Each structure stands twice: as structure tokens, then as C-alpha cells.
Amino acid sequence: MTTEYAQVHAVAAAGLGVLKDALSLARTAEERFQPLTLASNIAWWDSNVDATDENARRRADAELAYSDALADRELFNAIDSARGNGAESGHARPLELLLSAMLPHQISSSLRARIVELETSVETRFSRHRGVIAGEEVDDNEIKQILRESEDSAERREAWEASKTVGHEVADDVRELARMRNEAARSLGYRDWFALSLTTDEMDEEKLLETLAAADRATAEPFARWKSALDVRLAERFRCGVSELRPWHYADPFFQEPPPEGAVDLDPLFKGKNVVALARRTFEGIGFEVEGILNRSDLYPRPGKNQHAFCIDIDRGGDVRVLANVIDNQSWTDTMLHELGHGVYDLGFDEDLSWVLRKTHLVTTEASALLFGALAGDREWLERILELDAGEAEELASRLRAARAAELLVFTRWVLVMNAFERALYAEPERDLNGVWWELVARYQLLTPPDGRSAPDWAAKIHVAVAPVYYHTYLYGAIVASQIKDALRSAAGGLVDRPEAGRMLRQKLYAPGASIRWDRLVEQAAGSPLSVDALAREVAAA
């Protein structure tokens, strides 16, 4: 133990309230939180790749130990005091981030424990759950395949309903989580969990609502026009009237992606391809090494494993991993590129940054991920990486632009559903959430609810349970990705096979980590503040 380290801890033992030096405070917090974060992340990873009771227990224990440390009132007050006393600008930023991380945990220990335990239980059930079709358990990939390929409306309905059965299993507990999160937020002086979450993520609620309203205005008319044409094609395919179309006719269980009839069906081009190799080749061409990430990852489906996808930075020191359930189609290629877009960000921090600053903001990391994910439908990527014939790529060019616009339209309308639903959930958890859900789906996605259905379909979306108040960052990320794409095209000629684009991303977006606020980072990387204008230009091609 160094003399400086011993001195810091001697002062801390005497009372952290007298510790005024911002650098010492940040170091003290870092030394305390770093090993607990590592243990929590490893346990969280283990519980997702193998959803056993033992792994769930270990995860809950590790997360509670970390939460206990974040709940340290003396340390929190000392950091708050140092920031309030005008800490030097170079040291103020770590203090701001530490306060944001610690604030939600300044609640009763019993409430914290109940939240951690219930979140762990719910996510474990999501990982274990499989829908049932014709008496057989099926995974999400099989459900989506039926919804893309089957011509039988009855089979499609059964598959769609199977995708929602996890909602029945967890709905009561998700509602209880909303109650407990609100109790926590209100004990800290916030309106509800939605408001607290935005505060700790450095998001302004008024600006968020303005941005969502602008996105609604920019997409409402082109989406309605696009969907009207789509519905005619779907009605022809399924030999029914447009008024008879229901959610199971739209390929994705939540209609968050356009069906083949409303885009370009590229799946035949990916059949038999090595999706992971395509992703590796993509990043190598831009100057990013991802082999280490892939070697530590868990990429293919199996029972008892989380069926979704995520990227996690285990230690803020190079141990970055991806969980996925890859099969050979365009969607999973998009997902692999997306998750590795998170991963290269996590590996791109300036080496001189302290541990506290070696993290991403949700908006900017989603921008990176969405920027790369969209390449799976990009003409240049299809030619260079998938090695599609140039003539065939030329024939697809205009349709690919329209498909990209449709993708953004569908996704934006879906984000509007999710954001509005979560605001309603935390505003009044006791309301008729089933009814609220379908009212929003009808309003923003123009879907006709199933006749007489009253089921907790909202609870089948895992983000509502275990990644609350997150979905707006996808929309912000999509907007920023559009802006960054424009900047890269102007400065480097594009992204695919352009190491200069990789250098720009590393220097302007990744290297600063969390050393500057996300909105200033966006302006630095994109050359302009966040604006819906870039999104509006892209969706105009639909």
C-alpha cells in the first residue's frame, strides 16, 4: 500500500465528510467501486449465458454488494460537497459521474435489496422462458422465422401469441418493480423513476419530449403512407382484407422492424454465410481489432441462455464481450455489427483516462452501434464485405435506400410507443396497462389490436423490466448516427473499408469516454448539435 493511498484511507476512516480534495475523493471511490463493479459484471454475464438458480443467486449477491457501496452516504455527501465547493474543472467531471451513479442508491437498504432481487428473478425467467407452438417449445429465432415465412394466418397467430407468453409470467413483478422504483425515486425528491433516470443520464426531460414530438411530426405522414402501401401487399399475400390484418401479419413480434414486403428481403444473400466472419471483416477494414471481443463472447443459441443480444464492458480495461444468438440472416448480421459497434467504443478510450471516465454515455454508444448495424443493408457493404455482384448491387440501390428509410420509420414509431408507455407506467403503475399499451400501438404504429385481447403484452418486452427508461436513447442514437454518417461521408468518403473513418470515430467519439457530456460529444463528433433534421432527410426516401 502506497503512502498516498494509506493517507487517503486514514482520512476516510476518520470521516469522509472532511475529505475535500476532489482527486483523492475520486481515487477513493474508484478503489472501492472498481472490484465490486467487476464482480457484479461477471456475475451478470454468467447469469445471462447460463440462467441457473445458482448463477441468479450469485448475481443478486454481487449486485447488492455493489449497491451497498454506492449507497455510502458519507462518501456521497463528501463528493457532493467537493463539487459544490468548486472542484477544479479537471476534477469536477469524475465527481459529477460518481454522484449520478450513487444517487439512485441513496435509499433504504431493504428497498434496494428488494429491487435487486426482483430484477434478477425477472431477468432469469426471461432467459429461461421459451414459447410453445403446437405443443413444442421454440426459441425466439424460430418464432421470427414463422412470422417471416409462414403463409398460414393461424400458424402466424400462434407464433405471435407464443412470443407474448413470457409477459404473463412476469407482468405482476414488472408492475411491482415500477412501484418500488417509484418509491425509491420519490424518497430522493423526484416525481417518479422516469424523471430520476433522465437526471442521472444527464438528459433534459423537456428537451427529450420536444425531440420526440419533432420525430413524431417528421415520421407520422411518411409512415402512414408507407404502411398503407404495405398493408395492401400484406392483404394480397394473406388473402384477406386490409381491415382484417392483425399484429401477427407484420413479421416482427413488436413490429419494430419492417416485414420483407415493406423493405428488401436480403436474407437469401446471407444464407450459409459466416455472420461472425463478416462482422470481423467489417471492423478490420476500418482499422478496429475485434478478435479479442469475439474470443470472449457467447454467440450462438442454446437452451437456458438469454435469447437477446448485448455487449458488456466487464472491467473498463479491455475485457469486452458480446452475447448473441446468431443465425445466418440479415437481422443477426445487423445485430452482430451493432453489438461490436458498442465493443469498439469500449476499447477506444484514451489510455490516460481514469477508471471513472472510462465509460460511454447511452446516446453515443447507441449511435456507434446503430451506425455499424445499418451496414448490413448498405449497398457498399454488400459489395465489399458480402461480395455481392456490382451489377446486382446497382439494381438494388434505390430499393436499399427506400428500405433504410422504412427501417427508420418503423423503428421511430416503435420508440414512440415504448417511451410513451414507460412514462405512463411510472406515472401511474396501477392503471390498465394492457389498454394503455394497445392504445399507443394503434396510435403510433397504426396496428389493429387483436379482437377482445386483454393480456400483458407490454411485459413481454424485456427492456420494460430490466432496462427501464432506456428506449429513447435508441432514437437519439439513430439521429446521431445519421449525423455522424454524414460527417464521415464528407471527411472520409464513407465508412466501409476506410481506416480514416475509424480514426475519426476513435479520436472524436470514443477516446474522450465520459470526460465530456454526451451532448457536447455529439457536437464534436458530428459537427453539429443533435437535430431531427438528419433523420427527416433519411426517412423522406420511403
Side-chain angles (χ1 to χ4, degrees):
M1 180 179 292
T2 65
T3 302
E4 180 184 2
Y5 182 91
Q7 289 173 341
V8 168
H9 278 265
V11 174
L16 284 167
V18 301
L19 196 57
K20 302 296 184 182
D21 179 72
L23 181 59
S24 296
L25 273 172
R27 286 176 177 169
T28 297
E30 180 174 317
E31 288 162 359
R32 185 171 182 190
F33 296 156
Q34 187 171 358
L36 293 168
T37 305
L38 176 62
S40 177
N41 286 341
I42 290 174
W44 190 78
W45 170 264
D46 290 344
S47 72
N48 277 282
V49 299
D50 188 12
T52 65
D53 290 339
E54 174 62 19
N55 281 342
R57 185 195 62 77
R58 288 178 52 244
R59 169 187 166 178
D61 289 346
E63 289 188 359
L64 192 55
Y66 183 36
S67 179
D68 286 343
L70 290 169
D72 187 324
R73 174 64 69 175
E74 281 189 293
L75 180 57
F76 179 83
N77 288 341
I79 293 172
D80 194 28
S81 176
R83 188 187 63 165
N85 288 338
E88 295 180 15
S89 59
H91 301 149
R93 184 61 179 161
L95 299 185
E96 292 171 357
L97 294 171
L98 287 167
L99 286 174
S100 291
M102 297 178 74
L103 176 60
H105 301 267
Q106 305 303 304
I107 59 176
S108 73
S109 59
S110 61
L111 180 57
R112 283 191 295 104
R114 285 160 50 209
I115 291 174
V116 167
E117 289 165 3
L118 193 53
E119 285 177 340
T120 301
S121 172
V122 168
E123 188 160 9
T124 298
R125 278 175 276 165
F126 264 101
S127 294
R128 291 175 176 171
H129 183 86
R130 298 295 184 271
V132 175
I133 299 177
E136 298 289 332
E137 284 195 350
V138 293
D139 64 19
D140 286 355
N141 283 332
E142 292 171 289
I143 288 173
K144 289 183 178 180
Q145 183 176 1
I146 290 172
L147 291 177
R148 286 183 68 84
E149 298 177 1
S150 176
E151 303 298 324
D152 184 338
S153 288
E155 182 184 34
R156 297 178 67 88
R157 178 171 187 165
E158 186 178 12
W160 181 85
E161 290 178 345
S163 76
K164 300 293 184 284
T165 52
V166 68
H168 288 277
E169 187 172 335
V170 302
D172 289 345
D173 285 338
V174 176
R175 194 189 293 260
E176 178 61 18
L177 277 171
R179 296 187 190 106
M180 290 193 293
R181 288 166 179 159
N182 274 353
E183 181 183 348
R186 288 165 184 161
S187 73
L188 297 170
Y190 289 84
R191 182 192 70 232
D192 55 22
W193 186 261
F194 194 94
L196 173 61
S197 296
L198 294 182
T199 298
T200 56
D201 286 338
E202 299 183 318
M203 305 282 283
D204 181 277
E205 186 167 8
E206 183 176 346
K207 289 183 179 179
L208 170 62
L209 296 179
E210 289 173 357
T211 301
L212 291 168
D216 186 8
R217 290 191 298 271
T219 58
E221 191 279 329
F223 176 75
R225 184 177 64 249
W226 171 85
K227 185 175 178 295
S228 179
L230 168 69
D231 285 351
V232 171
R233 292 193 290 273
L234 290 176
E236 291 175 354
R237 175 184 174 185
F238 297 115
R239 299 180 178 85
C240 66
V242 168
S243 64
E244 297 175 279
L245 292 172
R246 293 296 182 270
W248 46 84
H249 291 116
Y250 291 86
D252 182 88
F254 290 100
F255 191 31
Q256 64 185 74
E257 299 173 359
E261 291 82 1
V264 180
D265 185 7
L266 297 178
D267 279 354
L269 301 180
F270 290 87
K271 192 67 177 176
K273 299 292 186 180
N274 185 329
V275 168
V276 175
L278 292 172
R280 180 191 297 111
R281 164 70 179 84
T282 301
F283 285 91
E284 287 176 349
I286 305 168
F288 292 121
E289 173 58 56
V290 297
E291 192 64 27
I293 298 176
L294 296 174
N295 289 340
R296 288 184 291 270
S297 295
D298 191 312
L299 300 177
Y300 299 100
R302 66 171 185 279
K305 173 187 170 183
N306 186 311
Q307 296 190 79
H308 301 275
F310 60 77
C311 178
I312 181 172
D313 186 350
I314 295 287
D315 62 357
R316 305 191 195 182
D319 185 352
V320 177
R321 309 176 188 182
V322 168
L323 179 144
N325 289 272
V326 172
I327 59 175
D328 54 350
N329 63 19
Q330 183 195 9
S331 178
W332 272 107
T333 306
D334 179 321
T335 299
M336 274 304 302
L337 294 170
H338 179 109
E339 300 305 339
L340 288 173
H342 287 302
V344 295
Y345 198 143
D346 292 332
L347 295 180
F349 303 134
D350 189 310
E351 293 181 358
D352 293 332
L353 290 179
S354 67
W355 179 84
V356 173
L357 298 176
R358 295 177 66 82
K359 59 179 294 187
T360 66
H361 190 277
L362 300 178
V363 169
T364 52
T365 188
E366 288 302 340
S368 177
L370 290 162
L371 177 72
F372 283 104
L375 292 178
D378 176 80
R379 172 189 169 179
E380 187 173 28
W381 186 90
L382 292 172
E383 280 192 60
R384 289 174 177 256
I385 308 300
L386 196 63
E387 299 181 345
L388 182 67
D389 176 76
E392 189 174 354
E394 172 64 27
E395 291 178 5
L396 284 173
S398 62
R399 294 172 59 205
L400 289 172
R401 286 193 296 273
R404 174 59 180 161
E407 180 183 347
L408 286 170
L409 281 173
V410 171
F411 186 68
T412 299
R413 306 308 291 180
W414 165 241
V415 173
L416 292 172
V417 170
M418 284 290 291
N419 183 269
F421 178 79
E422 287 197 289
R423 279 189 281 129
L425 168 65
Y426 289 105
E428 190 181 340
E430 309 309 322
R431 68 174 62 189
D432 174 16
L433 296 175
N434 302 351
V436 170
W437 177 259
W438 281 108
E439 187 277 324
L440 293 170
V441 167
R443 181 196 309 173
Y444 290 116
Q445 295 180 290
L446 306 182
L447 291 179
T448 301
D451 299 333
R453 185 172 179 84
S454 179
D457 297 325
W458 53 272
K461 190 61 182 174
I462 191 171
H463 294 71
V464 177
V466 299
V469 196
Y470 188 97
Y471 239 88
H472 57 273
T473 64
Y474 288 125
L475 179 59
Y476 270 44
I479 294 169
V480 174
S482 292
Q483 293 178 245
I484 291 175
K485 184 171 74 171
D486 288 345
L488 293 176
R489 185 185 298 115
S490 176
L495 180 58
V496 180
D497 278 348
R498 290 176 174 83
E500 176 60 25
R503 285 191 289 272
M504 288 180 61
L505 287 171
R506 187 180 289 110
Q507 293 167 7
K508 294 188 175 184
L509 188 64
Y510 304 162
S515 63
I516 57 178
R517 280 178 53 98
W518 71 270
D519 44 2
R520 296 173 193 145
L521 187 59
V522 166
E523 190 165 358
Q524 172 178 297
S528 60
L530 182 142
S531 169
V532 175
D533 292 346
L535 176 69
R537 286 194 298 272
E538 283 209 73
V539 301

